[in-house]
Amino acid sequence: MSLYIPVLFLVLVLVFVPSINSAPPPNLTKDYYQKTCPDFSKIVRETVTPKQGQQPTTAAGTLRLFFHDCFMEGCDASVLIATNSFNKAERDDDLNESLPGDAFDIVTRIKTALELSCPGVVSCADILAQATRDLVTMVGGPFYEVKLGRKDGFESKAHKVKGNLPLANQSVPDMLSIFKKNGFTLKELVALSGGHTIGFSHCKEFSNRIFPKVDPELNPKFAGVLKDLCKNFETNKTMAAFLDPVTPGKFDNMYFKNLKRGLGLLASDHILFKDSSTRPFVELYANNQTAFFEDFARAMEKLGTVGVKGEKDGEVRRRCDHFNNLNV
């Protein structure tokens, strides 16, 4: 009998003792910077307001940037890192090449202002999280709580992007597998997809729905407009269309109403109404904006906690596009 005790003990140790190399997730709090950078919220708000006024697509771009950051191994500002001679970073993978410059710019502007007020204190990951919430609210979206205390990650690898971000032509099961990896349900997938109520997509992302033949499930008039808009998309790669053609600059539930009318731009948008598993949520949000806003807000709060880094596995970068150790 005694021969089995060491083996059993070893099994128990392996199961119940956490690895010394895995740092526990940080305890995020609303007032994380209350003493160390009391003007944090004010500086973020005063920086995003004029930028959104000058460039109305900033809100959508920043929301997308935040999503891409959090779904790539956590909300750690790894998507902000620039490629150098040692490393090809996330933002230079094909799936991230269309991330808008205005989103990167607003983070840089906020970081610059904060470094003057409280140098070396606020992480780029927290800046991106707070700026996203403020911008979403500015364009009519719901207010939600942003807890703070994230640290900036030490890694950003382009080759890790594929398989971690949903694609424009994916099925619901394929998208759900990616969302599930990050702890999200089917309903939360649909709620977060509602972020497409603002912003645009480049023609190459939906060209297969209009060339060479038009997808019969696409609204015919909408398809005609898109065909004309994107006729030269192979030579002019900047051509893009609004994801919500009805109220493109307003955060509302029009995106879901559009899906019912054949006005979903991406195949992955349209499939949410076509698939029987997600259609009830589309119907709910199309008929009830309050329900959409409440579920979107909760999902965004949850998104902001995905894979966050603490003191042991992160840093506060001096510049958001570079690791403090430039050789990393």
Side-chain angles (χ1 to χ4, degrees):
M1 188 72 176
S2 61
L3 292 174
Y4 294 96
I5 293 174
V7 177
L8 178 61
F9 177 74
L10 179 60
V11 170
L12 289 172
V13 167
L14 290 173
V15 171
F16 293 111
V17 176
S19 165
I20 12 181
N21 294 323
S22 63
N27 183 26
L28 304 182
T29 60
K30 284 192 299 181
D31 56 357
Y32 187 81
Y33 297 113
Q34 188 173 5
K35 293 181 179 178
T36 56
C37 192
D39 289 333
F40 166 71
S41 296
K42 180 172 178 281
I43 289 170
V44 173
R45 188 169 57 252
E46 290 181 350
T47 308
V48 300
T49 301
K51 174 68 176 177
Q52 177 63 23
Q54 295 158 6
Q55 296 291 342
T57 58
T58 301
T62 307
L63 175 59
R64 184 167 172 237
L65 186 67
F66 181 59
F67 179 86
H68 279 228
D69 184 44
C70 294
F71 263 45
M72 266 304 303
E73 301 185 342
C75 309
D76 63 355
S78 55
V79 76
L80 303 177
I81 291 293
T83 293
N84 59 28
S85 55
F86 304 100
N87 177 56
K88 184 179 179 182
E90 287 173 26
R91 65 193 280 181
D92 287 319
D93 181 79
D94 291 347
L95 293 180
N96 283 331
E97 67 178 2
S98 62
L99 288 173
D102 284 321
F104 292 98
D105 178 64
I106 191 58
V107 175
T108 301
R109 291 189 188 197
I110 296 168
K111 180 65 171 173
T112 301
L114 286 168
E115 286 299 300
L116 293 173
S117 178
C118 40
V121 172
V122 181
S123 69
C124 302
D126 277 347
I127 290 171
L128 181 54
Q130 184 88 356
T132 300
R133 193 278 311 280
D134 286 0
L135 285 161
V136 164
T137 306
M138 278 184 64
V139 294
F143 180 89
Y144 57 90
E145 189 176 84
V146 176
K147 291 185 176 179
L148 305 163
R150 301 165 189 78
K151 293 297 180 280
D152 301 321
F154 292 133
E155 183 179 87
S156 180
K157 303 286 185 185
H159 70 84
K160 290 189 172 185
V161 173
K162 286 181 177 62
N164 286 303
L165 293 173
L167 305 177
N169 59 354
Q170 277 186 316
S171 66
V172 169
D174 286 343
M175 288 190 287
L176 183 59
S177 69
I178 293 172
F179 276 76
K180 274 187 171 179
K181 279 197 300 186
N182 292 289
F184 290 93
T185 65
L186 185 64
K187 188 176 186 181
E188 289 167 333
L189 180 160
V190 180
L192 287 173
S193 296
H196 283 180
T197 188
I198 52 175
F200 59 85
S201 183
H202 290 93
C203 291
K204 73 168 190 173
E205 299 295 339
F206 55 88
S207 60
N208 62 326
R209 301 194 72 200
I210 51 176
F211 301 120
K213 292 181 179 180
V214 172
D215 181 342
E217 295 178 358
L218 200 58
N219 179 287
K221 289 184 179 178
F222 186 42
V225 171
L226 293 176
K227 284 190 74 171
D228 186 55
L229 173 71
C230 297
K231 58 189 175 187
N232 298 318
F233 83 96
E234 290 180 315
T235 53
N236 184 357
K237 299 187 185 302
T238 63
M239 296 306 298
F242 287 120
L243 289 157
D244 170 3
V246 181
T247 57
K250 183 182 179 185
F251 198 102
D252 54 21
N253 67 336
M254 187 59 70
Y255 164 80
F256 296 105
K257 294 179 180 180
N258 290 341
L259 297 185
K260 299 170 66 175
R261 304 170 185 156
L263 297 175
L265 183 64
L266 306 178
S268 56
D269 292 325
H270 177 67
I271 199 68
L272 296 180
F273 181 67
K274 188 176 178 181
D275 192 290
S276 60
S277 68
T278 47
R279 183 183 296 177
F281 302 126
V282 172
E283 297 274 13
L284 169 65
Y285 297 149
N287 295 325
N288 189 336
Q289 181 168 282
T290 300
F292 165 49
F293 275 22
E294 288 175 352
D295 288 350
F296 180 83
R298 277 193 292 269
M300 287 299 290
E301 289 178 2
K302 185 173 176 178
L303 178 62
T305 66
V306 171
V308 293
K309 310 297 188 291
E311 297 281 357
K312 291 186 178 180
D313 50 3
E315 64 181 354
V316 174
R317 290 185 208 137
R318 291 185 288 271
R319 282 182 52 178
C320 290
D321 60 347
H322 288 83
F323 300 116
N324 289 343
N325 178 1
L326 294 180
N327 291 325
V328 175

